[in-house]
Amino acid sequence: MHACHQHEKMCVSLVPIFNHLETEQMAEIMKTAKSGTFKRGEIIYHAGDKSDSLYILNKGKIRIYRLSESGKEQLVRILHPGDFTGELALFKEETHESYAEAIAMTQICMINRTDLQELLLKYPSISIKILTEFSNRLEEAERQTTRFATEKAETRIAVFLAECLEDQGQFNMLELPMSKKDLASYLGTTPETISRKLADLQHKGYIRQISNKKIEVLDLDGMLLI
Amino acid sequence: MHACHQHEKMCVSLVPIFNHLETEQMAEIMKTAKSGTFKRGEIIYHAGDKSDSLYILNKGKIRIYRLSESGKEQLVRILHPGDFTGELALFKEETHESYAEAIAMTQICMINRTDLQELLLKYPSISIKILTEFSNRLEEAERQTTRFATEKAETRIAVFLAECLEDQGQFNMLELPMSKKDLASYLGTTPETISRKLADLQHKGYIRQISNKKIEVLDLDGMLLI
DNA sequence: TTAAAGAATTGATGACAGTCAAGATTTGGA
DNA sequence: TCCAAATCTTGACTGTCATCAATTCTTTAA
């Protein structure tokens, strides 16, 4: 862990919450940032750790997951370069509730809580960017909660496929962004159920499984009407 | 709907996101606020409405709910005086995804989107307050999602009772804050299951149902170990 | 106050999805 | 490239909970 140098210059400019600033202002932020690298499998923070940094993912992939009251794991999201985490606890003097695990060789920048709070007061437009990001996340989280509360596994899977398709914009082809084990954890079900429901969807003619991760959607509207 | 007068002065000062400001600054905010009243059953906004106000609840109760992809309703939260809503869409030019329904005679203050954005730039500390609020809500929403994804109905009910107890601080007695029908919708289950699981919890000696809404918790730790 | 509407309970039944197990396939590290 | 470990698939079985229906209890508005 050392002060940010040349290539970390990228890091701040990668992130939507900062990259609207003047180059000069980004430079000011970078002065306060630290960087770090993690190997596959290393934990960046644990639930219960006191949280005091914003982590910006520069390179690699990070898995964010939580444990429920009874100890079961749920995958919350996977971070890609330009995403950030650790943001929640920045605004309350508390601890992380989730775990962040590097799932590939990973490089991050860290901005300290107090430094960030000063930045926010100095550049109010950063706050508005973060508020926008939080709004989206909150909307997304509530939509997800409603989905779990009201839809059965098959529908959750179908909706997930539809969203993949939309994100990837590859007309009818999509690539699952994670293993089916992780997908099961993300969707609140089991790998067995994922396998079976995908087989069902294929059997009903809505999709075709090309390979382990590649799926062709044959009838999007039909699939979503399940 | 008219400009805010005397008693609405309360409204801004009720809300944690504003009440840390100087009296004079609150007065400035109030000048831009409008007020409105709604009767039981009236809808304050619909999913799909263009959203352009922050709504602060002054008096009464508001039910926030969503419809899932397949049309099933889920109760998201119930607002009490001092709570606010409509905040999400303030930071993105989009529409509401949820419904807000007055469930009692209700009085609200509304602050327009553009007015609010100006306030945020002028008083950065308001942003930090809202960010804190958003952080908490986001954490809460993710915790809730994980609960739905990993816990069975009985556990979700037990955890809900435990949280009621904690909020109400009435040593072993709690009062359900909503009808069992709404509670079922909130917890992603049915009224029948709520009835049955409460009966089970009582049968196992963890709780005692005093009346429709009143419950005595006899063994909190035992109940949470289910 | 009371009638009507809505909410809560209880029972019977079936659908959905979790678990366990065994075999096939894929993956990634040496 | 290849092997060991991990992931994925399929089958059989079981537990949980949703649904439907019939009553009872509670709330609300005239």
Side-chain angles (χ1 to χ4, degrees), chain A residues 210-224:
Chain A
I210 311 285
S211 69
N212 198 344
K213 290 251 165 63
K214 274 206 179 100
I215 292 177
E216 183 183 5
V217 177
L218 303 171
D219 178 5
L220 180 60
D221 296 336
M223 181 174 76
L224 291 176

Side-chain angles (χ1 to χ4, degrees), chain B residues 136-195:
Chain B
N136 289 324
R137 289 259 303 274
L138 203 38
E139 196 85 66
E140 178 61 27
E142 292 191 348
R143 197 182 309 126
Q144 192 76 335
T145 302
T146 298
R147 234 169 245 168
F148 282 118
T150 60
E151 308 288 15
K152 52 188 187 180
E154 189 169 37
T155 310
R156 299 202 300 273
I157 294 171
V159 169
F160 180 84
L161 294 182
E163 287 180 346
C164 276
L165 205 58
E166 194 170 353
D167 291 349
Q168 298 178 16
Q170 301 284 312
F171 86 122
N172 277 343
M173 229 47 155
L174 66 89
E175 182 138 2
L176 296 179
M178 58 185 106
S179 70
K180 288 179 188 169
K181 186 172 180 276
D182 278 346
L183 182 57
S185 167
Y186 181 71
L187 293 180
T189 182
T190 59
E192 292 94 325
T193 296
I194 300 276
S195 272

Side-chain angles (χ1 to χ4, degrees), chain B residues 41-56:
Chain B
E42 287 187 315
I43 301 290
I44 297 165
Y45 58 77
H46 286 79
D49 284 359
K50 195 151 174 296
S51 66
D52 56 0
S53 284
L54 183 75
Y55 302 88
I56 300 170

Side-chain angles (χ1 to χ4, degrees), chain A residues 152-168:
Chain A
K152 52 188 186 180
E154 189 169 37
T155 309
R156 300 202 299 271
I157 294 170
V159 169
F160 181 83
L161 294 182
E163 287 180 346
C164 277
L165 206 57
E166 192 170 354
D167 290 349
Q168 298 177 15

Side-chain angles (χ1 to χ4, degrees), chain B residues 161 165 168 170-176 180 198-199 201-203 206-218:
Chain B
L161 294 182
L165 205 58
Q168 298 178 16
Q170 301 284 312
F171 86 122
N172 277 343
M173 229 47 155
L174 66 89
E175 182 138 2
L176 296 179
K180 288 179 188 169
L198 286 178
L201 289 173
Q202 172 158 336
H203 190 245
Y206 297 130
I207 65 170
R208 196 162 63 91
Q209 300 186 69
I210 311 286
S211 69
N212 199 343
K213 290 251 165 63
K214 273 209 181 95
I215 293 176
E216 182 183 5
V217 177
L218 303 172

